Amino acid sequence: MNTESFYQQLQEICPGRRTLTRDVDLLPYESDALVAFSTKPAAVVLPESAEEVVAIVKVCYAAGVPFVARGSGTSLSGGSMPIKDGVVIALNRLNAIKHIDPEQRTAVVEPGVVNLHISNAVKQYGLYYAPDPSSQSICTIGGNVAFNSGGAHCLKYGMTSNHVLGLKVVLPDGEIVEFGSESLEGMGVGPDLIGLFVGSEGLFGIALEITVRLLPIPEQYKTVLAGYDTLEKAGDAVSAVVASGLLPGAMEIMDRLALKAAEAAVKTGYPEGAAAVLIVELEGESQQVEREFEHLVNVIEGSGAFEIQVAQNEAHRAKIWKGRKGAFSSVGRLSPDYIVQDGVVPRSQLGKALAEIEKVSNSYGLQVANVFHAGDGNLHPLILYNGREQGALEHAEALAGEILAICIKLGGTLTGEHGIGIEKRDYMPQLFSETDLDAMYAIRNRIDDKGIANPGKKLPGGEAPALKMHGMHPLEKAGIISRE
Amino acid sequence: MTGAIESCVHCGFCLAACPTYSVLGEEMDSPRGRIYLMKNVLEGTLEAEQAQPYIDRCLGCMGCVPACPSGVAYGDLLTSYRAKIESERSRPLLDSVTRRMIIETLPYPSRFRAAAKMGKLGKLVQGVLPDQLSGMLNLVPERLPPPVNLPNLIPAQGEKRARVAFLTGCVQTVLAPNINQATVALLSANGVEVVIPDSQGCCGSILSHIGEEGRAKTLARNNLNAFAQIDGEIDAIITNAAGCGSGMHEYGLLFKGDPEETAAEAFAHKVKDITVFLDELGLVPLPKNQPERRVAYHDACHLAHAQGVTDPPRNLLNAVPNLTLLELNDGGLCCGSAGTYNLEQPEIAAQLGERKAQAIVDTGAEMVVMGNIGCFTQVETHLAKMGKQLPVMHTVELLAQAYR
Ligand SMILES: Cc1cc2nc3c(=O)[nH]c(=O)nc-3n(C[C@H](O)[C@H](O)[C@H](O)COP(=O)(O)OP(=O)(O)OC[C@H]3O[C@@H](n4cnc5c(N)ncnc54)[C@H](O)[C@@H]3O)c2cc1C
Ligand code: SF4
Ligand code: SF4
């Protein structure tokens, strides 16, 4: 490939400061929210229209240069980490909500639209977009589609795939295709291509336009916090709530360490001294919510909770969720480095899984904070480590591997919502047989014959990127910061 | 100082709160990106010169600080980084003429008045002052309002509920004396006795900002003395300027290790924004016969982000009968008022100003209220550009009017 002319073609599509090739401009794009891995790309382009994206993909295809689509770079699995010598296509400027249909309850949006902005824009019609990843204030719909992202309220309403009605996509060779339809009625004809694309982690091309389903805003919410003296009891309470016939909007658990971090960030007053807190949110029509609430309180009282709190008002509810949604990041207050895991276990195995995780992390001598979508059995153990210590990251990674093995052993899976990305790629053979993997490769190769769309992610094989160097921080060396 | 860079877990939550990111949509102009660039510069993997444009584009609005769940002290980081880079740069930040002028003029209302009359001041100092101040200097009008002399003691009306000292400030006294008048009237109407020590002066924040720590201390020390000489107890030291408030909250830090440290800390502890104080005290009931008014409240960065003051002004405004308080639907992004910013980054500043004006207009408000005069001109200018000449006032002005 003639590098000069390749850059020149990118420049023609995205002129001036919209094609970035200097170090200073590339560095901030070299990793996503999983900083343990990073790769500097050859270029970052900032397209402003779908046509420009298509043109960029075509140029990459012709030159055989790999590319990765990037939303807000909040992926926790290295999904949007650049490909070496590849192009990062940053979609943040494609952020228009193109059409809202309050009657049909749908919206057509560009991929760079931030998840929460959809709900903000349709609020005036009494509607909202249901999937609510904790990162919803900043992650993009494009990223959500690629990872089939979930959130606290996906227990009741399902993940992103349940809310995407239509997709316009540019395939890795530059062809534009449309899947699904713009209305609910149009679904169900032919193969479920949306199902294939949603969760494909950028390996099947780039979503250019997404038609999403909207839901009416519930009339009432009731948010209940229950404090427990063991994590296992909280886990078992989740099964009890579901067994009682209730389907809450959300059921989340935070353990002692996660609570400590969240409390420092939002000062909500989570039940004091709890080893674990279960958050249950009921939502729907007022009368029904009131009835369910009585029922719920009975179940929770029977599950050994030592304290039950109910959100006093909307501001209090917002704070409880702010604490929960910011929990991963607030763990940064406790430890400079951590790995977030995303394993899933059958709900009935929650208590057991938590107990086993505790045992193995103790044997590793590492602290693990737990904060997770309990209703879905989607665990998020955060393994705390100190990256400045030699070998600490590797030690933590080894524990992460054991935790995933526990999930698989208990009948679960590797990822609930954060994707495989680069991080869990090499665990795929533990979960899938060779035949399964071959089938995946076959589909991939059919859609992307040159293997240029986010290669090296999700499917095992390929080079592993270099792990970040760790050591004493230069700011500390310079005497600017100290750790107290 | 905290390990700001290390506590950044790269989650991106701060991106949503950053005005430059919202306008430019690129990682280098986000808090996360800037932190990463600073890290690379300090690790020696990037030249400071290259990163500088992105650091310069930071408004210093601190929107990213409350947005960060990990508690990254972005403000401290930025200050230390700038100090370190500045000290290594051959070109000093300010030429000596400008520096002298700031040191000898701004902190002193009478000299400032004289200089402002000559009309040269604004242009000279723009580009070197913290945003809240240069924002004020944008206000330097063709004609200055006549000076107002406030008495040393303003008695409480009705039953005396509290006794406070009032920091009248420096630049604001000259540019908008009516805000101080309103502050005093409002306090008095609420049964608060107000003491205004004669010997008080500028709080020194301006000088700290330009690296004149020694002189800043002199001014601060002067205030420590001035307020210490007040006879009898005072419940609080009141300010109505967000910039001075955040500066004086740091007196403890300024005197760290000095003999004055304890006194400075006690002082800092007593400093309260007028809205915080009144909200805690509770307003005496307002006359019922208020006009119907639809009021938008704009969160000034140095109040909302730097000091975390968001509820008190809203609580006070909500207490005014027939007043409908309207919220801006723009996530509290900076209005772009930074004076330095208007000069150096006119396009971004203008876009932010337009967005703010649009968000205000979208609420359907008839007037807009804020707690920092630094934002006034920017908001007024962009509203005017949209053909909407809404009145812009300080929170205390509206409240004082409501008691009349
Ligand atoms: C603190 C924190 C909390 C989180 N909580 C949750 C949670 O509760 N639930 C959850 O599911 N996730 C969560 N995440 C993970 C992350 O936010 C989601 O995976 C999100 O969907 C990523 O969106 P993004 O815009 O940041 O995408 P990026 O990180 O930029 O990209 C993610 C993947 O999507 C691909 N991609 C991006 N745009 C497109 C497009 N238009 N077409 C095709 N592929 C594309 C990229 O190539 C990459 O593989 C969390 C992350 C953080 C940091
Ligand atoms: S929110 Fe805080 S931790 Fe997250 S990227 Fe921004 S500064 Fe870093
Ligand atoms: S201070 Fe303001 S402009 Fe600067 S990085 Fe933070 S949010 Fe962005």
Side-chain angles (χ1 to χ4, degrees), chain A residues 15 56 74 147-148 171 186 205 211 216 220 256 279 318 322 405 419 457:
Chain A
I56 295 161
T74 65
F147 274 173
N148 190 19
L171 298 177
T211 306
Q220 198 192 333
R256 194 189 303 279
I279 308 175
K322 193 172 177 203
K457 313 286 177 68

Side-chain angles (χ1 to χ4, degrees), chain B residues 250-309:
Chain B
E250 277 161 22
Y251 270 11
L253 268 180
L254 186 66
F255 286 105
K256 203 167 173 84
D258 292 346
E260 296 93 336
E261 185 174 343
T262 323
E265 258 166 20
F267 183 99
H269 205 67
K270 284 234 150 138
V271 170
K272 277 196 179 138
D273 185 74
I274 170 86
T275 58
V276 174
F277 175 76
L278 281 178
D279 187 41
E280 284 171 6
L281 183 70
L283 289 179
V284 302
L286 285 128
K288 290 265 178 301
N289 59 337
Q290 302 286 337
E292 291 279 344
R293 46 192 153 187
R294 297 171 57 76
V295 178
Y297 181 75
H298 157 62
D299 276 309
C301 296
H302 283 86
L303 204 53
H305 303 147
Q307 298 183 66
V309 176

Side-chain angles (χ1 to χ4, degrees), chain B residues 105 153 255 400:
Chain B
T105 318
L153 191 113
F255 286 105

Side-chain angles (χ1 to χ4, degrees), chain A residues 103-384:
Chain A
E103 295 284 307
Q104 289 277 339
R105 295 184 180 157
T106 60
V108 182
V109 303
E110 291 189 325
V113 169
V114 167
N115 174 304
L116 191 61
H117 292 183
I118 302 182
S119 293
N120 289 345
V122 300
K123 195 164 151 199
Q124 53 181 315
Y125 307 109
L127 300 172
Y128 78 117
Y129 177 67
D132 61 338
S134 302
S135 51
Q136 71 185 132
S137 61
I138 189 63
C139 66
T140 66
I141 287 295
N144 293 176
V145 166
F147 274 173
N148 190 19
S149 299
H153 292 81
C154 292
L155 171 61
K156 186 165 182 176
Y157 298 107
M159 316 273 284
T160 302
S161 57
N162 297 77
H163 300 267
V164 174
L165 301 176
L167 280 174
K168 183 168 148 191
V169 168
V170 54
L171 298 177
D173 61 1
E175 186 189 347
I176 299 173
V177 291
E178 295 195 26
F179 305 142
S181 100
E182 294 222 344
S183 74
L184 280 169
E185 288 70 30
M187 304 294 287
V189 186
D192 180 12
L193 293 174
I194 292 184
L196 181 68
F197 192 88
V198 176
S200 63
E201 303 196 7
L203 266 63
F204 293 163
I206 299 179
L208 299 173
E209 214 172 85
I210 299 116
T211 306
V212 296
R213 183 156 77 108
L214 305 170
L215 297 182
I217 298 174
E219 194 177 283
Q220 198 192 333
Y221 292 101
K222 198 114 189 174
T223 314
V224 181
L225 295 183
Y228 292 88
D229 54 14
T230 69
L231 185 53
E232 207 171 343
K233 271 190 201 165
D236 291 339
V238 174
S239 302
V241 171
V242 176
S244 79
L246 286 167
L247 179 55
M251 274 200 280
E252 304 279 305
I253 291 180
M254 296 201 259
D255 74 358
R256 194 189 303 279
L257 215 50
L259 285 164
K260 185 174 157 200
E263 186 64 28
V266 296
K267 301 185 184 57
T268 311
Y270 292 105
E272 229 169 279
V277 165
L278 171 66
I279 308 175
V280 184
E281 185 159 275
L282 299 168
E283 49 174 57
E285 286 178 9
S286 304
Q287 279 187 339
Q288 182 204 342
V289 168
E290 289 305 331
R291 270 200 312 272
E292 289 184 355
F293 174 64
E294 276 178 35
H295 190 46
L296 176 69
V297 169
N298 283 335
V299 178
I300 289 186
E301 275 172 353
S303 69
F306 70 78
E307 184 181 336
I308 301 180
Q309 280 184 15
V310 181
Q312 299 307 311
N313 48 36
E314 188 45 40
H316 188 199
R317 170 176 178 255
K319 251 192 170 177
I320 291 172
W321 282 115
K322 193 172 177 203
R324 163 59 189 94
K325 296 201 167 181
F328 291 176
S329 324
S330 51
V331 168
R333 293 171 185 259
L334 306 181
S335 165
D337 303 284
Y338 60 78
I339 305 179
V340 189
Q341 285 295 300
D342 181 36
V344 181
V345 294
R347 197 164 40 217
S348 57
Q349 304 287 328
L350 263 183
K352 195 162 172 200
L354 294 169
E356 285 201 25
I357 291 175
E358 193 172 350
K359 213 167 88 197
V360 40
S361 27
N362 284 343
S363 78
Y364 270 71
L366 288 173
Q367 279 195 307
V368 172
N370 279 289
V371 39
F372 54 97
H373 308 312
D376 308 321
N378 187 182
L379 300 173
H380 289 319
L382 286 94
I383 304 168
L384 279 51

